Amino acid sequence: MAGLVTGALWLLAGRGAANPLFPKTIIFTLVGLSLSGIVIFPFVWQYLLKRNAHNSDKVQAWLYNIIRYTVALDISIFGWKKFFHLQFVVPDNVASLPMNQQTGEVLTWFYFGHSYAFGCIIACLQILGGAMLLFRKTWLLGAIILFTLMLNIMSVDIFYEMNPGALSQAVIMTIGLIYLILIDYDRLAEFFFKAQSNIVSLTAVKPGIKTIFRVAGVLMPVLYVWYQATH
């Protein structure tokens, strides 16, 4: 996971026009090293584990923090791009074409670019979530915020046929966030499913009546919309 997210970050840094700070040769070398580490480093880690388990714990801590910081940097960069009009921008000669001649990517960018304020809200969530990932007390909440956001972005990239670069970034970062969240799976399961709820239960209502109301709560919206659609 550390190799995937760092490789994606290097590709993001080298995207676009020629950048003197990140020449293509350096970028692809760093990407190659990141991806090679996926294959090579597990054997190194196994070697360290056999020699000294304490060293292996340190390695695990470093890898975990690399994932956390890299995901935070990557997503924050996309957030700042929105503020500086580097996303959601469609050239006038393309925007003037009829909608039925546009690609899904152009339509998506034109739609989201219609409201700069909305783009700034998304950017703030990306930047805030990225900052929260950097601190031990807030990283889990930041990961959950970013996961819900990135899951939506990834879905848009898939179903509206965005370019492969944007799609790969969204997929890798979403997987990275899932990995981070699952590290504290036990704590989340305790919070969502086992902890005592503060909602007062209707003890006077029989369980069968409660079941009827629950089923009705699911079926009534469907029946209401079906009636509107057929009349």
Side-chain angles (χ1 to χ4, degrees), residues 136-137 139-140 183-192:
R136 185 175 181 84
K137 291 185 178 181
W139 74 265
L140 182 57
I183 290 176
D184 261 1
Y185 171 80
D186 292 338
R187 185 152 64 108
L188 287 172
E190 175 70 25
F191 177 79
F192 284 108

Side-chain angles (χ1 to χ4, degrees), residues 17-85:
N19 189 338
L21 295 176
F22 300 100
K24 297 296 183 184
T25 52
I26 293 179
I27 290 297
F28 286 116
T29 299
L30 292 172
V31 172
L33 290 173
S34 298
L35 298 181
S36 298
I38 297 175
V39 179
I40 298 172
F41 195 76
F43 297 99
V44 177
W45 195 357
Q46 183 69 19
Y47 172 75
L48 294 175
L49 181 61
K50 289 180 178 179
R51 291 190 61 186
N52 190 329
H54 183 66
N55 288 337
S56 180
D57 292 338
K58 289 183 178 179
V59 172
Q60 185 177 12
W62 272 102
L63 291 174
Y64 166 71
N65 283 284
I66 286 173
I67 297 170
R68 199 157 51 99
Y69 276 71
T70 302
V71 172
L73 288 173
D74 189 286
I75 296 178
S76 296
I77 288 173
F78 278 103
W80 286 110
K81 280 187 172 186
K82 294 175 178 63
F83 278 116
F84 288 94
H85 300 282

Side-chain angles (χ1 to χ4, degrees), residues 83-97:
F83 278 116
F84 288 94
H85 300 282
L86 295 177
Q87 283 194 312
F88 302 157
V89 177
V90 179
D92 291 338
N93 62 320
V94 177
S96 61
L97 296 174

Side-chain angles (χ1 to χ4, degrees), residues 117-191:
F118 181 72
C120 289
I121 292 174
I122 297 175
C124 288
L125 289 173
Q126 290 177 306
I127 296 168
L128 175 64
M132 293 176 73
L133 279 182
L134 304 180
F135 298 92
R136 185 175 181 84
K137 291 185 178 181
T138 60
W139 74 265
L140 182 57
L141 179 58
I144 293 172
I145 292 172
L146 289 177
F147 170 70
T148 57
L149 182 65
M150 291 305 301
L151 183 63
N152 183 47
I153 291 175
M154 183 182 69
S155 299
V156 170
D157 288 349
I158 292 173
F159 295 108
Y160 287 85
E161 300 177 350
M162 304 297 281
N163 67 80
L167 175 59
S168 62
Q169 285 283 336
V171 170
I172 292 173
M173 292 304 135
T174 303
I175 294 174
L177 289 166
I178 292 173
Y179 175 82
L180 291 175
I181 292 171
L182 289 179
I183 290 176
D184 261 1
Y185 171 80
D186 292 338
R187 185 152 64 108
L188 287 172
E190 175 70 25
F191 177 79

